[in-house]
Every structure is written in C-alpha cells, then in structure tokens.
Amino acid sequence: MEEPSKVSAPTAVNGHPVVQSHAEMHQRCLNPYRSKVTVVLGAQWGDEGKGKVVDMLATEADIVCRCQGGNNAGHTVVVNGVDFDFHLLPSGIINERCKSIIGNGVVIHLPGLFEELAKNEAKGLTNWESRLIISNRAHLVFDLHQQVDGLQEAEKGGKSLGTTKKGIGPCYSSKATRNGIRVSDLLGDFKVFGEKFESLVNMYKRLFPNFEVDIAAELAR
C-alpha cells in the first residue's frame, strides 16, 4: 500500500506569515501595519473572556467599538486590583487614550447605562465624557421591554429560554418591526417621541391583555 503523502502546513496566507503561537497572534493583532481592525467575537453563549481580551487590545487601539447586544452582557476587567464591571460600556473605556463607541447595533437601557457609569466612576473611571461616543441610531430599551420579556417567558412555561429579562429580545423585535425608538428620537422633538412611545405601549397592550404602563409617568421620567 502506498504511504499517504504528507501535507505540510502553509507558511503564508495572502502574503502574511501564518501565526504559530499566542504571542505571535497578539503581536499580529497589535501591529497596525498588518491589521487595521481587530474583531473580538464570542463563539458560544458568553463567558469567553471577551472583555479581558478587549481591555488588553485596547492598550494599542485608538477606538474600541461595541457593535451589538445590551446590558445583559457582563464583562469584568481588573486594573490595579480594582474590579471594573461593564454591561453596556466598551471594556476599552479604561484606556484614556482610546475612544469608546456604543454603535447603532447596541440596544441601550439608559437608567442602566447611567448606573453603570456612576458605579465605575466611584471605582476610579475618569474623563469618560470626552471619550464615550453613542450612536444616535441605537435603539432604546425601556422598562416596558423588560416587562414584555417576562411575559413572553411566562407564556412559554417549561419551554422558556431563560433570558435575563433585561428586555433585549423585545427591543430587537421592536427594531425589526420598525416601531422601536432610537436615541435620535429622544434628542429630537419630544412630542414626537411621546407619540412613538404611546404607539409602542398600545401595540404591546394588544398583544398582552394584562400589560399595563403609565405612559404619562414614564414620559415624565
């Protein structure tokens, strides 16, 4: 029987050397002449250590951008013995030479964002005001989305997904059905914002008979 031929691993792809070690991979990611953009993507249901990787890469980055998700995420970064906890903020915000962007694919629960900023400020996060950029096209998560999240889970009974009930799924559903509300709506004509909010509430009332929201009180917040 003829012995199968041995196939050696390629030494280069598209003119670039194949990375042979973690150290070489790290250097390749940080080398601006080889890679202008580095993407950190989780391949399972979270807890892969993305936040720590982003914090490491941010030391050599000009911009760190979060592109999707909401405050159901959780990233812990330890700096000088201090634990910084991030849910909406990009993990690279600790690096003061780096701009942090919350992109239009992220869904933002504003009370949660303000609480997160306050907690991390108390731990030593500084000068974030000049470094944090939020897309005005990002959609807003309201408390009503969280309420709907719980109602949808209850309807599924024993087949529930086990969501965090942070309203992320319902908010993305609002985005997909084009009745969601963006940051730009909040910054624009507040009367129009109120009309859109009322329309969103009424849509959920039709879907869930027990759904109740005090529209006037919510808008007053």
Side-chain angles (χ1 to χ4, degrees), residues 114 121 203:
F114 296 146
E121 272 189 315
M203 184 270 292

Side-chain angles (χ1 to χ4, degrees), residues 32-177:
Y33 298 103
R34 285 187 175 175
S35 178
K36 295 292 185 182
V37 177
T38 300
V39 178
V40 179
L41 180 66
Q44 60 180 36
W45 296 101
D47 294 328
E48 307 98 341
K50 297 186 296 293
K52 293 179 176 62
V53 173
V54 170
D55 176 60
M56 177 186 71
L57 296 175
T59 60
E60 298 293 332
D62 296 313
I63 296 172
V64 172
C65 179
R66 183 166 177 196
C67 63
Q68 55 82 38
N71 65 338
N72 57 332
H75 303 127
T76 301
V77 177
V78 181
V79 179
N80 297 325
V82 179
D83 289 3
F84 291 88
D85 300 313
F86 300 122
H87 302 282
L88 277 167
L89 294 172
S91 299
I93 199 167
I94 296 177
N95 180 12
E96 293 204 4
R97 62 175 292 275
C98 179
K99 295 286 187 183
S100 291
I101 298 175
I102 297 178
N104 66 306
V106 179
V107 291
I108 303 172
H109 183 249
L110 286 177
L113 176 61
F114 296 146
E115 180 182 355
E116 183 178 336
L117 284 165
K119 285 184 177 180
N120 285 291
E121 272 189 315
K123 294 179 180 180
L125 178 65
T126 58
N127 302 321
W128 60 266
E129 297 92 339
S130 61
R131 296 183 289 107
L132 178 63
I133 301 170
I134 301 175
S135 171
N136 65 355
R137 296 186 179 184
H139 278 251
L140 295 173
V141 180
F142 296 101
D143 291 349
L144 66 89
H145 285 123
Q146 298 177 348
Q147 188 178 345
V148 169
D149 207 348
L151 291 171
Q152 289 177 333
E153 284 286 270
E155 279 190 342
K156 294 182 177 72
K159 296 182 179 180
S160 64
L161 296 176
T163 74
T164 58
K165 297 184 177 65
K166 293 292 182 70
I168 309 305
C171 185
Y172 275 118
S173 295
S174 295
K175 179 178 181 177
T177 54

